[in-house]
Amino acid sequence: MMKLLLFSDLLHSCLIQTRMIPAIRTGFFCLCSLSLLILQSCATGYFYRAPNPTVSSVGIMNINSFEGAHTLGTDKAEIGAMLSTPLEIVGRASRLNDAVEPPLHAVSARANGFVVPSFAMKYGINSSLDVGMNMTTIFLITGISTKFYAKWNILDTTSTLAIALMPSVGYSLNFTNIADASGEASGGAALGEIALPISYAVPSGNFSLNLTPRLTYLNFQMGYTIESTIYTMVGSGGVLGMPRTVAREGTLQSSMLLPGASLGMKFFRMVSAELTLLQSGNTFIPLFGLSFQASFTQLFSSPYSVR
């Protein structure tokens, strides 16, 4: 009986040891792996960073010009008020520029969701050359943009059919700069454009039809600062260090070329409607607007020709 009890105790002891061996091996392997990971982290300076904020800069640019190919004439002036959908240029930056995570930069163009007021004026240098400008803003919230242009009628200025060459330059200063967390941004976009207005006006002057192929170049720039929380692995024992905040500066610059065309009509010698389509990659950006334009003399006296 004593021998049986001793054998039972021995068997029980062996079973316990047999069951414990895999657990001991697993625990030892995990401990070794963790030690190697800590040593590697300390050797390479690897750190874990919490998600970084995203900063954005948003600007607008009025692409619709409401311009036909006909010119005003020598020493004549015109003013206009417009309501249109402007082109919105958005720059976005996130993540800091370091060896662990490269920065994410993106610039996109799209139609703004608002109908934006604009002011325009132009002046006739001679019978075939006009110069003008327009200014667009969303109540000084999103930004303000200004565009200057010259228009040269290359055909007979008395003809009902006119073709003009119209280069433009402009700049958009962004007021809307968004940061998800600690950060700031400021940006703007420069514009260069070449358009070829083609116009036909009925003899009575009450209606004209305008087709304007155009090529628009945009150069976007944004400066930004992003603050991020960093956790570092420090010490030979692989102790997790205290979090700290790091602020780094960056610059985002990108350019895009947008081909497109505008179709416009002018009614009653002063009211214009225009639809512009710009191509950005595989998508088209629709921009629509209405304009009221009148010469200084027309505001106070007799009507003038639609041209």
Side-chain angles (χ1 to χ4, degrees), residues 46-242:
Y46 174 83
F47 59 81
Y48 167 77
R49 183 175 56 239
N52 287 294
T54 298
V55 293
S56 301
S57 185
V58 183
I60 58 172
M61 183 70 72
N62 187 23
I63 301 299
N64 287 306
S65 57
F66 304 98
E67 286 292 330
H70 294 95
T71 50
L72 290 176
T74 306
D75 291 332
K76 292 184 179 180
E78 185 178 88
I79 59 174
M82 298 169 282
L83 290 173
S84 60
T85 304
L87 182 70
E88 183 177 88
I89 309 104
V90 182
R92 179 177 176 271
S94 63
R95 299 185 182 176
L96 299 181
N97 186 6
D98 54 41
V100 178
E101 293 183 20
L104 292 182
H105 288 172
V107 177
S108 60
R110 62 192 182 194
N112 185 272
F114 295 93
V115 176
V116 178
S118 302
F119 169 79
M121 61 183 302
K122 64 180 177 179
Y123 176 76
I125 301 295
N126 54 44
S127 61
S128 59
L129 179 63
D130 290 347
V131 294
M133 60 86 66
N134 67 61
M135 182 178 294
T136 304
T137 182
I138 303 182
F139 307 109
L140 300 179
I141 296 176
T142 297
I144 186 169
S145 68
T146 305
K147 184 166 70 172
F148 300 90
Y149 65 90
K151 183 174 65 174
W152 176 45
N153 186 351
I154 60 179
L155 296 183
D156 183 5
T157 57
T158 62
S159 174
T160 56
L161 178 66
I163 300 176
L165 185 65
M166 190 173 71
S168 306
V169 294
Y171 189 79
S172 171
L173 178 62
N174 301 353
F175 291 166
T176 299
N177 301 298
I178 305 167
D180 291 344
S182 298
E184 58 183 17
S186 61
L191 173 141
E193 187 177 61
I194 186 70
L196 189 70
I198 303 170
S199 300
Y200 174 78
V202 298
S204 65
N206 291 324
F207 175 80
S208 66
L209 182 65
N210 310 312
L211 176 64
T212 306
R214 61 176 72 239
L215 186 62
T216 304
Y217 171 79
L218 292 171
N219 184 279
F220 180 88
Q221 291 185 344
M222 182 181 76
Y224 63 90
T225 301
I226 297 181
E227 293 183 356
S228 184
T229 302
I230 293 179
Y231 301 85
T232 56
M233 302 293 288
V234 296
S236 59
V239 180
L240 184 66
M242 294 297 293

